[in-house]
Amino acid sequence: MSAFADGSCLLAGGAEGPAALRPLLGSVLEALAGGAGARGGPLPSGGPGAVAADVRRTVREVLPERGSGAREALDALVRLVARGAADPADPLCAGHLHCPPLALAVAADVAAGALNPSMDSWDQAPAASELEALVCRELARLVYEGAPDEDPDALVTTGGTEANQLAVLLARERARRYRGGGAVRVVCGANAHHSVHRAAWLLGLEAPLVVPAPRGVLDPAALEVALEQTRGEPALVVATAGTTDSGDVDPLLEIGPVVARYGARWHVDAAYGGPLLFSERLRARLAGLERADSVTFDLHKLGWQPVAAGLLVVPEAAALRPLDHRADYLNAGDDTEAGIPDLLGRSLRTTRRPDVLKVAVTLRALGREGLAALVERVCAAAERLARMVEADGRFELYARPPMSTVLFRPAGADDATVALVRRRLLAEGRAVLGRAELRGRLWLKATLMNPEARPDDLAALLKLVHDAVPEGRR
């Protein structure tokens, strides 16, 4: 008997599940369209107060005594979230590494949610667990293409933060096993992602030793000085291939030999830049990456996947053994000996979604060439925007974009004006731009993640920025 007030079928799985889902998905699509139409731009206007008021007015009761029925609830709340969304599919929504997901990846994610495999034991996810193993090995081979190791592997993560945490954990456990202690010292550039510092804190390690990055990238000479300070203790050097602020890539070819000379471990956070490897034309920007002991790779950035779709990649599957863990109800020893795959060491999480399905569908549908084309397209759009900024005397360009991020600011504006312009565009719902403080100045950040953005969209973005500068500050 249904628990819904309108008598809708409860379950999405089984032979009858698709029939139950079909009308509900129709309701979702109508609500998405209606919400986007009501929003009418890249984000809702009015700022946080207006959005909060709309949410409270629409929801009224979070847990009513009697439910309203499946279709009414879907229509009301999906429509609410859609009209109050920051929509990364809008070319004027360019503030963050927040991609517009591919429609086929979203469709695959619906299937994953309906089937609901839990990736912590084989008997909860027979086919999904094998698919994950195949996809992880293939993407690991992409990262370590041409490297001498023949057994690369990867773990699926929720994103770059979890992958970076796992990399630090593996370095700590290796130090415990081979050096007789666990006090590994993390060494990273001043440009490193905040999750590197958080990982050290979470694992009870000393705060990372921060290496200067005066040009926006880790300086190899300064790294050598830092590693001199760590002589006699195990160290993990963390480099970045695609900084969050500017998309800069550390000089990996120069860093690798320095790390090797001091016997340190090396992790590269390529959450942003990793998908450049799909492109034969762009992959040279990551030359040297294949020498790293671990790599963060994220497909909910330049892979156009719904969150979450991260990976930690290693050149040898054996490097993941410190994560082995036993829980008799999930991976009993005799079951493993009998040939049932052991999945518990594939993550620090227990229950986790089959995020691999949407990734696998995308890889099969687009292939390496198709993904390369998307990556190349957004990088080309960034180059185009940078040229437009340079040619327009009303703006100042920070630097040529190394990937798909462009930093610029209104010419002659002070930092307070730059911050005001960004907040004004947000409050009016006209555009989403990020902010980055580099070289002692504040810059507007356009992170171009939409491969369908046109030159007219870029011109419109620049006009919005110029028009948002208050009179008297232009």
Side-chain angles (χ1 to χ4, degrees):
M1 182 177 179
S2 174
F4 290 125
D6 59 5
S8 301
C9 179
L10 277 173
L11 304 181
E16 297 179 6
L21 274 173
R22 188 169 289 111
L24 298 179
L25 291 177
S27 296
V28 166
L29 296 177
E30 289 177 10
L32 286 172
R39 185 182 66 245
L43 78 166
S45 62
V51 173
D54 187 27
V55 172
R56 287 193 293 267
R57 184 170 53 250
T58 302
V59 173
R60 296 191 304 277
E61 290 182 273
V62 173
L63 182 62
E65 187 64 30
R66 180 175 175 79
S68 63
R71 293 200 191 186
E72 188 282 334
L74 282 169
D75 182 76
L77 297 185
V78 172
R79 193 177 293 264
L80 165 69
V81 173
R83 71 173 174 263
D87 183 3
D90 190 303
L92 299 178
C93 186
H96 302 279
L97 290 166
H98 178 201
C99 73
L102 296 167
L104 85 163
V106 172
D109 222 19
V110 171
L115 294 168
N116 207 30
S118 182
M119 305 295 289
D120 50 308
S121 68
W122 182 89
D123 58 355
Q124 298 176 84
S129 61
E130 183 61 23
L131 180 63
E132 181 179 270
L134 291 174
V135 171
C136 282
R137 286 196 291 270
E138 185 64 26
L139 290 174
R141 283 192 286 268
L142 175 74
V143 171
Y144 288 104
E145 195 169 77
D149 297 295
E150 298 178 356
D151 188 30
D153 202 357
L155 300 179
V156 174
T157 70
T158 52
T161 293
E162 184 186 349
N164 286 341
Q165 289 173 350
L166 280 170
V168 176
L169 173 63
L170 290 173
R172 187 193 71 178
E173 294 306 296
R174 189 178 189 279
R176 283 180 172 175
R177 182 171 299 183
Y178 297 109
R179 302 288 290 270
V184 66
R185 187 68 190 275
V186 177
V187 180
C188 66
N191 60 343
H193 193 261
H194 66 84
S195 63
V196 177
H197 296 261
R198 208 171 204 188
W201 166 76
L202 183 67
L203 294 167
L205 302 174
E206 192 174 350
L209 182 59
V210 177
V211 180
R215 294 177 293 108
V217 294
L218 193 155
D219 179 37
L223 174 62
E224 191 145 11
V225 172
L227 288 174
E228 280 287 348
Q229 299 177 44
T230 69
R231 276 194 182 274
E233 62 178 321
L236 173 69
V237 173
V238 179
T240 307
T243 60
T244 303
D245 276 347
S246 59
D248 280 311
V249 178
D250 287 341
L252 304 178
L253 283 173
E254 298 174 53
I255 290 170
V258 175
V259 173
R261 192 155 56 246
Y262 284 86
R265 303 293 289 175
W266 187 24
H267 173 67
V268 177
D269 177 2
Y272 182 9
L276 268 63
L277 295 173
F278 290 118
S279 167
E280 289 300 324
R281 185 164 61 82
L282 299 177
R283 65 178 293 121
R285 299 183 187 183
L286 303 185
L289 180 73
E290 70 282 354
R291 298 181 62 179
D293 296 297
S294 55
V295 175
T296 289
F297 193 94
D298 200 342
L299 288 167
H300 59 242
K301 294 181 174 63
L302 293 182
W304 295 278
Q305 298 298 294
V307 174
L311 294 158
L312 175 72
V313 188
V314 293
E316 296 178 282
L320 302 174
R321 285 179 190 156
L323 301 178
D324 286 349
H325 184 67
R326 287 285 159 186
D328 196 59
Y329 76 104
L330 294 173
N331 61 347
D334 58 325
D335 279 349
T336 303
E337 291 173 7
I340 295 180
D342 176 2
L343 307 184
L344 204 52
R346 303 289 301 175
S347 177
L348 291 181
R349 293 170 286 152
T350 304
T351 303
R352 57 187 180 90
R353 298 184 78 249
D355 288 314
V356 71
L357 178 57
K358 62 197 175 194
V359 175
V361 167
T362 301
L363 296 179
R364 184 184 180 97
L366 273 67
R368 185 165 176 169
E369 287 185 358
L371 281 163
L374 296 180
V375 173
E376 290 169 6
R377 205 177 297 169
V378 294
C379 290
E383 281 287 345
R384 185 178 297 113
L385 178 59
R387 290 194 299 270
M388 293 168 68
V389 169
E390 280 186 316
D392 190 328
R394 299 174 299 175
F395 302 103
E396 178 183 352
L397 181 68
Y398 172 77
R400 306 299 303 184
M403 288 200 292
S404 68
T405 297
V406 180
L407 300 182
F408 69 102
R409 51 186 283 146
D414 59 15
D415 285 356
T417 300
V418 173
L420 177 64
V421 165
R422 175 179 175 272
R423 287 193 293 269
R424 175 175 285 185
L425 292 173
L426 289 175
E428 295 174 356
R430 294 179 180 275
V432 183
L433 288 169
R435 54 185 288 162
E437 190 166 340
L438 293 168
R439 297 178 188 164
R441 304 172 74 194
L442 186 64
W443 301 84
L444 295 173
K445 177 172 66 170
T447 308
L448 303 182
M449 305 294 285
N450 187 337
E452 296 183 348
R454 301 164 304 185
D456 287 352
D457 298 317
L458 304 179
L461 180 63
L462 292 181
K463 184 177 187 307
L464 284 170
V465 170
H466 175 262
D467 291 349
V469 178
E471 291 291 343
R473 299 196 194 184
R474 294 177 184 173

